[in-house]
Amino acid sequence: MSDIRVRFAPSPTGHLHIGTARTALLNWLFARKEEGTFIVRVEDTDRSRSTIEFEESILEDLAWMGLYWDEGPDIGGDFGPYRQSERFELYQKKVDELLRSGQAYRCYCTPEELEERRKARLATGLMPKYEGTCRNLTAEQEAECISQGRKPAVRFRVPEGKIIIHDLVRGEIEFSSEVIGDFIILRSDGSPSYHLAVVVDDGEMKVTHVIRGEDHITNTAKHVPLFEALGYSVPKFAHNAMILGPDGGKLSKRHGATAVSAYRQMGYLPEAINNYLALLSWAPEETREVFSLEKLAKAFAIEKISKSPAIFDINKLNWLNGQHIRLADLERLTNLCIPYLVDAGLLADRELSRKDFERLVKIIEAVRGNLTVLSEVPMYARIFLGTFEIEQDAAEWLKKTHAPEVLTALLDILEARGKLNFEDGREVMGILRDNFKPLGITGKNLFMPIRVGLTGSTKGPELPFVLNILERDDAIKRVRKALQKAKEAQSR
Ligand code: GLU
């Protein structure tokens, strides 16, 4: 293990958002690439909006993505606790230190006063900023504030001068401390601000690299001097660009699903989500685009993270998902498809006998090439698992004059043979092709009546798969029914 330590720091105030998941992925990839430590730290200082259910849901989604952590609230570690709500004493201690050294001071301004001054600044064209009203209060002035019943917050005394962020993606970013203003580190109710908690935790947890969204850059400008004031070494920063919706606005619900769990429910595979989020973050050097998580970790480099925002393109994600469905381990894929088939009423139970499971594996093998998302599986598996019905457009093929002849020939073969495997299925198709070629019945004219006779549909997997999957007796029954229908059509 190297000394590199990164953290993913979600606030448990909602489900894992796809953009936040991208930040987690980038941290994870970096940790794996550098053989470092990936920490999950739960930022639940906002007690009114944070819930344990959201924390659990975020961890569940991370685990689903395969982004396992080395230290975290559920598994502990040497730098715990990993929930900010359990670290309040530490924050208080750090605030006391800063107060003693004069790097922080008590501020007695009320929210109303602050709001009034903010408005006044805006009205005169100035950026909102704390003006330092309480920066240099005398002991008498403080005593006066206390006697008025004012409850103090604590502000960090931002040192004058330039603040420089060394960003591994963007290079040097310079801020003047002028624009920042002394910010609150402890609220008047005694709770730490986000800025304080993050800096203390990153410092105490020996975080070496902070990888997070570019919406945090101005926060970073506040954090750098605070790290220094507290005597921590300042981590390296990398701010990744945002994910935007197709209209160029920040990706949000109005663009479609944003929760990772929603994508899981729709039947996206975690490897496709990871692959897609990685492609949104940097352009791989190779021309190929389909990567496993391990390959992504190998290909990753922090400097490669893109500076420009990426547009979320669902079509690209769909394409990648289809690719990963084709690559996935077949038994795993089958297990993932089962809930969709149960919900659609095509399977009675999630628990299958070995024999039924093996048959289902064959079905999934046959249909996976058609799938974009797993929730489509009932549509394609219906021909094997549902009752045999001849669809309206499919019935047209049975009206062709040669249909009874083709179906009779198929029936003869099925009756003469036992169970067909895929190779037998190919052989059967070969025999039929040879028999009907001299009669000029080829291509669709031949295989459509066969397909309709076996599945009731004009669409579906290759016919050798179909012949292999259907039980022989069932196949015979189906073809008989179709033949009957074909004959009726002729006599009309
Ligand atoms: N808890 C913060 C968020 O959810 C992350 C802060 C950070 O990465 O420093 O946006």
Side-chain angles (χ1 to χ4, degrees):
M1 273 247 170
S2 72
D3 291 338
I4 289 191
R5 293 174 58 80
V6 291
R7 82 314 190 268
F8 172 56
S11 303
T13 54
H15 295 289
L16 183 63
H17 183 281
I18 198 90
T20 319
R22 199 255 296 246
T23 300
L25 174 68
L26 294 177
N27 278 282
W28 187 91
L29 289 172
F30 181 62
R32 287 299 161 269
K33 171 85 187 257
E34 302 296 333
E35 293 179 10
T37 303
F38 177 60
I39 306 163
V40 171
R41 180 176 75 226
V42 175
E43 306 213 319
D44 57 349
T45 50
D46 183 348
R47 304 304 295 144
S48 62
R49 290 171 60 225
S50 301
T51 71
I52 190 75
E53 287 76 21
F54 282 134
E55 176 187 313
E56 283 166 0
S57 146
I58 290 168
L59 293 183
E60 191 186 324
D61 287 343
L62 272 188
W64 176 75
M65 290 172 73
L67 309 182
Y68 291 100
W69 47 100
D70 306 303
E71 296 171 22
D74 54 338
I75 53 170
D78 292 345
F79 299 81
Y82 292 89
R83 273 185 207 101
Q84 290 187 330
S85 57
E86 294 165 16
R87 300 170 66 83
F88 277 26
E89 261 174 53
L90 174 66
Y91 305 136
Q92 182 65 56
K93 207 177 112 211
K94 294 292 161 185
V95 169
D96 293 342
E97 276 174 34
L98 291 172
L99 282 170
R100 268 198 304 275
S101 64
Q103 295 177 99
Y105 59 88
R106 292 194 176 81
C107 165
Y108 295 87
C109 300
T110 63
E112 296 74 29
E113 286 164 352
L114 293 170
E115 181 54 22
E116 218 168 277
R117 273 183 242 140
R118 199 182 74 91
K119 281 197 191 133
R121 279 182 75 88
L122 285 173
T124 51
L126 293 168
M127 289 268 288
K129 169 190 143 177
Y130 180 65
E131 291 168 330
T133 317
C134 298
R135 212 168 203 243
N136 299 306
L137 293 184
T138 61
E140 291 77 45
Q141 285 168 320
E142 281 211 41
E144 169 67 18
C145 288
I146 294 166
S147 74
Q148 289 172 359
R150 291 171 181 255
K151 284 230 158 7
V154 178
R155 286 185 188 269
F156 177 57
R157 194 186 294 277
V158 178
E160 274 167 32
K162 279 185 194 141
I163 296 166
I164 295 174
I165 303 171
H166 299 278
D167 188 296
L168 294 168
V169 176
R170 287 151 210 274
E172 274 192 6
I173 310 172
E174 205 181 289
F175 282 86
S176 157
S177 63
E178 268 295 292
V179 300
I180 290 181
D182 298 343
F183 54 90
I184 290 184
I185 52 176
L186 198 72
R187 297 193 191 90
S188 57
D189 66 0
S191 65
S193 71
Y194 156 72
H195 302 302
L196 176 76
V198 158
V199 170
V200 170
D201 288 349
D202 286 345
E204 295 290 325
M205 293 179 181
K206 304 219 177 315
V207 168
T208 57
H209 293 73
V210 172
I211 307 173
R212 61 185 173 197
E214 65 179 339
D215 50 338
H216 282 289
I217 290 180
T218 50
N219 290 335
T220 304
K222 294 179 176 166
H223 298 172
V224 170
L226 192 51
F227 274 109
E228 287 165 350
L230 286 164
Y232 296 124
S233 59
V234 183
K236 296 199 166 74
F237 292 93
H239 293 94
N240 56 268
M242 297 283 101
I243 303 180
L244 306 179
D247 60 358
K250 197 173 166 192
L251 186 69
S252 72
K253 281 203 182 115
R254 71 199 153 89
H255 299 115
T258 53
V260 169
S261 52
Y263 285 92
R264 170 168 45 174
Q265 276 154 20
M266 284 186 272
Y268 288 87
L269 296 181
E271 53 268 44
I273 298 283
N274 287 326
N275 193 163
Y276 183 59
L277 292 177
L279 289 186
L280 280 184
S281 308
W282 83 91
E285 270 149 32
E286 309 165 53
T287 44
R288 81 196 174 104
E289 297 189 293
V290 181
F291 290 93
S292 67
L293 201 48
E294 291 111 76
K295 288 264 160 58
L296 287 173
K298 285 210 182 89
F300 181 75
I302 207 163
E303 302 79 22
K304 286 190 194 167
I305 296 178
S306 162
K307 280 197 266 285
S308 39
I311 307 265
F312 190 81
D313 176 4
I314 190 77
N315 296 321
K316 186 71 181 273
L317 173 59
N318 287 344
W319 176 78
L320 273 175
N321 203 52
Q323 297 300 310
H324 282 285
I325 286 176
R326 285 156 186 74
L327 290 171
D329 172 78
L330 197 52
E331 292 211 353
R332 167 180 166 239
L333 194 66
T334 304
N335 278 314
L336 291 174
C337 286
I338 290 174
Y340 299 100
L341 296 167
V342 172
D343 282 354
L346 292 174
L347 287 179
D349 197 341
R350 288 191 184 203
E351 296 301 318
L352 299 184
S353 68
R354 191 69 217 167
K355 186 166 157 271
D356 286 345
F357 181 74
E358 277 164 12
R359 178 163 187 263
L360 188 58
V361 168
K362 284 190 193 153
I363 295 175
I364 301 304
E365 183 184 16
V367 304
R368 69 159 139 188
N370 297 103
L371 302 180
T372 301
V373 286
L374 299 183
S375 52
E376 290 169 352
V377 75
M379 196 158 87
Y380 294 99
R382 195 173 297 279
I383 55 173
F384 300 113
L385 297 169
T387 48
F388 178 63
E389 272 162 36
I390 299 170
E391 292 164 10
Q392 223 169 3
D393 64 328
E396 293 302 310
W397 286 98
L398 301 179
K399 293 181 186 161
K400 307 272 180 200
T401 45
H402 61 277
E405 211 180 330
V406 170
L407 289 171
T408 306
L410 173 63
L411 197 54
D412 286 347
I413 299 181
L414 290 177
E415 281 174 340
R417 293 197 173 213
K419 171 94 189 100
L420 305 178
N421 64 30
F422 183 79
E423 283 310 316
D424 295 331
R426 277 163 80 125
E427 196 191 315
V428 168
M429 289 308 296
I431 295 169
L432 290 169
R433 216 175 289 127
D434 292 345
N435 286 357
F436 284 95
K437 202 171 171 189
L439 306 176
I441 300 166
T442 59
K444 275 195 171 183
N445 284 326
L446 175 68
F447 65 74
M448 274 306 190
I450 296 176
R451 181 176 289 287
V452 174
L454 290 169
T455 69
S457 170
T458 56
K459 290 181 285 297
E462 286 176 58
L463 286 168
F465 275 123
V466 176
L467 285 162
N468 174 220
I469 292 165
L470 288 177
E471 301 296 339
R472 176 172 170 270
D473 293 350
D474 184 28
I476 290 173
K477 257 194 243 155
R478 288 175 175 216
V479 178
R480 280 210 186 112
K481 192 171 164 189
L483 179 58
Q484 182 65 32
K485 214 168 167 155
K487 282 183 179 159
E488 282 166 20
Q490 309 296 320
S491 55
R492 255 187 228 134

